[in-house]
């Protein structure tokens, strides 16, 4: 028997639990800290019985302080396990590079140079193929030494999805026609077009990032909160409090 889908307007969070789902950070520690200060302030002046802060992945690459972002998230989770973090494709790409320094991989081609810089490591390459390979090999070895074990353990610990109430949280989206519990990990961190183009309702509202939009995209079946924080200076979150849903934004300098 097919489970009927749910529309965003009808969706509810768990009773007594306020949810904050934060989009792609990409090394913007300044915006992440500002968002957390705002959330802490809300929880103080408008208390709730319980809460969860859900980070939707892509903590590293492109922005200036990937190391600082991971330090911040590791500390937040240690202080209170209600701070939750999901894996994004860039986070997995960082782990992949630490294992194997692929010159054509996601990390090297899409923002990993900035991530390495945040750890005090240069990944600049020479012009010749041999020089490039040797320089990358040295940079990889230096980065492996520079990244704390706690950061590697953190990245390896990240789940690929979670659900609360009528909401399903993941980095990129889901493949239509497949039950939420059977989604492929690659789809959860990489999928785009087939997910975005699907107009039918899902078992739950899918809250995701991964594909940048100028402002939060609220659809009948999904919510996209990736507002290109590293470049736009705008970090966005979805707030769910029972039947109430709203968008929360932190704005800083453009990247």
């Amino acid at each position: 028997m097919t489970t009927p889908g749910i529309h965003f307007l009808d969706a509810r969070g768990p009773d007594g639990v306020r949810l904050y789902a934060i989009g792609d950070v990409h090394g913007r520690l300044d915006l992440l800290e500002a968002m957390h200060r705002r959330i802490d302030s809300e929880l103080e002046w408008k208390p709730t019985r319980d809460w969860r802060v859900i980070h939707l992945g892509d903590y590293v690459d492109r922005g200036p302080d990937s190391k600082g972002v991971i330090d911040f998230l590791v500390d937040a989770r240690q202080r209170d396990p209600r701070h939750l973090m999901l894996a994004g494709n860039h986070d997995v790409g960082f782990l992949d590079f630490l294992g194997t320094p692929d010159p054509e991989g996601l990390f090297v081609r899409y923002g990993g140079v900035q991530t390495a810089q945040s750890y005090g490591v240069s990944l600049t390459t020479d012009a010749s193929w041999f020089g490039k390979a040797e320089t990358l090999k040295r940079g990889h070895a230096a980065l492996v030494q520079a990244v704390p074990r706690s950061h590697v353990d953190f990245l390896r610990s990240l789940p690929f999805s979670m659900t609360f109430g009528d909401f399903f949280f993941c980095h990129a989206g889901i493949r239509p026609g497949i039950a939420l519990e059977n989604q492929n990990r690659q789809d959860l961190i990489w999928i785009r077009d087939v997910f975005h183009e699907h107009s039918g309702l899902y078992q739950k509202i899918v809250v995701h990032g991964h594909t940048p939009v100028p402002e939060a995209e609220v659809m009948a079946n999904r919510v996209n909160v990736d507002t290109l924080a590293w470049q736009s200076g705008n970090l966005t979150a979805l707030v769910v409090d029972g039947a109430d849903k709203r968008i929360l934004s932190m704005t800083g300098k453009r990247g």
Side-chain angles (χ1 to χ4, degrees):
M1 183 176 178
T2 303
T3 303
I6 188 165
H7 192 286
F8 177 79
L9 295 177
D10 300 319
R12 295 181 58 93
D15 290 341
V17 182
R18 188 181 305 154
L19 307 174
Y20 296 88
I22 303 173
D24 304 35
V25 177
H26 280 302
R28 287 299 299 264
L29 177 62
D30 58 330
L31 295 175
L32 181 61
E33 289 177 331
M35 179 67 79
H36 272 253
R37 286 194 298 268
R38 175 62 181 273
I39 291 171
D40 290 344
S41 177
E42 282 199 2
L43 292 172
E44 183 176 350
W45 60 258
K46 189 182 178 184
T48 180
R49 190 184 75 196
D50 203 356
W51 55 267
R52 299 291 186 277
V53 178
I54 304 161
H55 304 78
L56 297 175
D58 276 8
Y59 312 116
V60 303
D61 297 350
R62 293 177 168 149
D65 199 358
S66 294
K67 177 183 182 297
V69 167
I70 296 181
D71 278 332
F72 181 90
L73 294 174
V74 168
D75 180 68
R77 192 166 69 176
Q78 288 176 344
R79 284 187 289 105
D80 196 315
R82 289 177 291 185
H83 291 111
L84 306 171
M85 297 92 192
L86 294 173
N89 58 311
H90 282 262
D91 312 311
V92 173
F94 185 18
L95 275 178
D96 289 344
F97 180 81
L98 291 173
T100 304
D102 181 0
E104 300 301 322
L106 173 70
F107 186 77
V108 173
R109 296 179 63 193
Y110 296 102
V113 170
Q114 289 83 0
T115 297
Q117 286 173 344
S118 75
Y119 287 93
V121 174
S122 173
L123 286 183
T124 54
T125 55
D126 299 325
S128 69
W129 184 90
F130 179 77
K132 180 178 179 179
E134 284 300 302
T135 303
L136 187 63
K137 183 178 178 180
R138 290 195 298 269
H140 168 260
L143 188 59
V144 168
Q145 289 296 314
V147 176
R149 184 71 203 182
S150 62
H151 287 204
V152 174
D153 291 343
F154 168 79
L155 292 169
R156 286 177 174 167
S157 76
L158 299 174
F160 286 73
S161 67
M162 59 184 59
T163 184
F164 290 95
D166 294 326
F167 296 86
F168 179 87
F169 302 88
C170 61
H171 176 64
I174 66 170
R175 187 164 296 275
I178 296 177
L180 296 177
E181 62 272 18
N182 295 328
Q183 291 291 321
N184 181 281
R185 286 187 169 188
Q186 284 295 102
D187 284 337
L188 291 170
I189 61 172
W190 277 106
I191 202 166
R192 280 199 168 106
D193 292 351
V194 68
F195 168 60
H196 296 157
E197 293 166 3
H198 182 73
S199 60
L201 300 181
Y202 298 118
Q203 298 164 259
K204 296 180 184 290
I205 303 301
V206 181
V207 184
H208 67 97
H210 183 56
T211 301
V213 287
E215 59 184 23
E217 187 177 42
V218 180
M219 311 293 285
N221 58 4
R222 63 182 180 87
V223 180
N224 182 359
V225 288
D226 178 7
T227 49
L228 200 67
W230 71 274
Q231 188 175 73
S232 71
N234 184 29
L235 180 64
T236 300
L238 172 70
V239 186
V240 178
D241 198 351
D244 179 60
K245 284 90 69 178
R246 56 190 167 91
I247 298 298
L248 183 61
S249 295
M250 287 293 109
T251 301
K253 65 179 182 180
R254 294 178 63 87

